[in-house]
Amino acid sequence: MLSKIEIPPRISPYPMQVVLVGATVNDKPNFLTAAWMNRLNGSPPLWGVAIGKKQYTLEGIKEHQVFSINIPSADLVEKVDYCGIVSGRNADKSKLFNIFYGKLTNAPMIGECPLAVECKVFDIVDLPSTALVLGEIVAAHTEERFLTDGKIDPLKANPFVLTMPDNSYWTLGDRLADAFQVGKRLKHDSMSD
Ligand SMILES: Cc1cc2nc3c(=O)[nH]c(=O)nc-3n(C[C@H](O)[C@H](O)[C@H](O)COP(=O)(O)O)c2cc1C
């Protein structure tokens, strides 16, 4: 008999990637911190982020149908947290970062972030208290210094994650195993049965 106990269902996965969502709102770049974000489709490349219906950033995304997702490094934690506790309705968040643009005029991206992707809206799914914004990535931007053998190197990009309900930010821990590899031993074992 397993000694499982039940806890309230309104729970978060842990950890969650912390990102900054960029949009043009009332002609000005604005950034919202988000943790309810994930990759959802390979081809076309779709990422989705759940944005509260009252968020200022959502107004800009709906108006222009484009936005950016920027993955910050740990040294940006103070500014990232600030973007998550202050609304662009009450403060100008456009001066916090070096902003650059790629293909999409109204998708401001953050120069300090090791990875910035610009997206056009693929769909917006209306959920009870959030809008699940699905974005198709039209271009992804990084720098040579964050790459090893031409690929994003997580140790160089140094992202951070959020855990709830303890409300903590964490950097990456120890590397555990080779993904898509470590399970192969069990595959061979089961096939030889
Ligand atoms: C760590 C963290 C994660 C957050 N994740 C989300 C999220 O996934 N979706 C969301 O709508 N708001 C999220 N928020 C809250 C918004 O970032 C916050 O309400 C922000 O002030 C909204 O900015 P805006 O009104 O300028 O758009 C998060 C805040 C923090 C600090």
Side-chain angles (χ1 to χ4, degrees), residues 30 32-36 50-52 55-57 83-84 86-88 93 169:
N30 191 61
L32 162 149
T33 301
W36 295 6
I51 301 186
Q55 308 293 31
Y56 190 59
T57 304
C83 287
V86 170
S87 173
K93 295 190 261 186
Y169 296 124

Side-chain angles (χ1 to χ4, degrees), residues 76-156:
L76 293 172
V77 68
E78 206 174 321
K79 288 184 179 181
V80 172
D81 195 63
Y82 172 81
C83 287
I85 53 180
V86 170
S87 173
R89 243 183 273 281
N90 310 314
D92 180 1
K93 295 190 261 186
S94 70
K95 301 283 185 292
L96 286 170
F97 306 105
N98 287 310
I99 291 169
F100 74 100
Y101 291 88
K103 295 185 165 73
L104 306 172
T105 315
N106 284 303
M109 290 178 281
I110 298 175
E112 290 88 337
C113 289
L115 181 67
V117 299
E118 44 181 327
C119 304
K120 57 181 188 200
V121 169
F122 180 84
D123 200 358
I124 298 182
V125 182
D126 195 35
L127 298 178
S129 57
T130 63
L132 177 57
V133 179
L134 309 183
E136 178 172 349
I137 299 176
V138 300
H141 307 267
T142 187
E143 289 168 54
E144 196 63 44
R145 65 192 170 110
F146 300 119
L147 304 180
T148 297
D149 298 333
K151 294 172 190 154
I152 296 269
D153 183 327
L155 289 181
K156 292 178 181 169

Side-chain angles (χ1 to χ4, degrees), residues 6 9 19 27 41 80 90 139 158 181 183:
E6 212 176 296
V19 302
D27 300 324
N41 199 69
V80 172
N90 310 314
N158 196 21
Q181 285 289 334

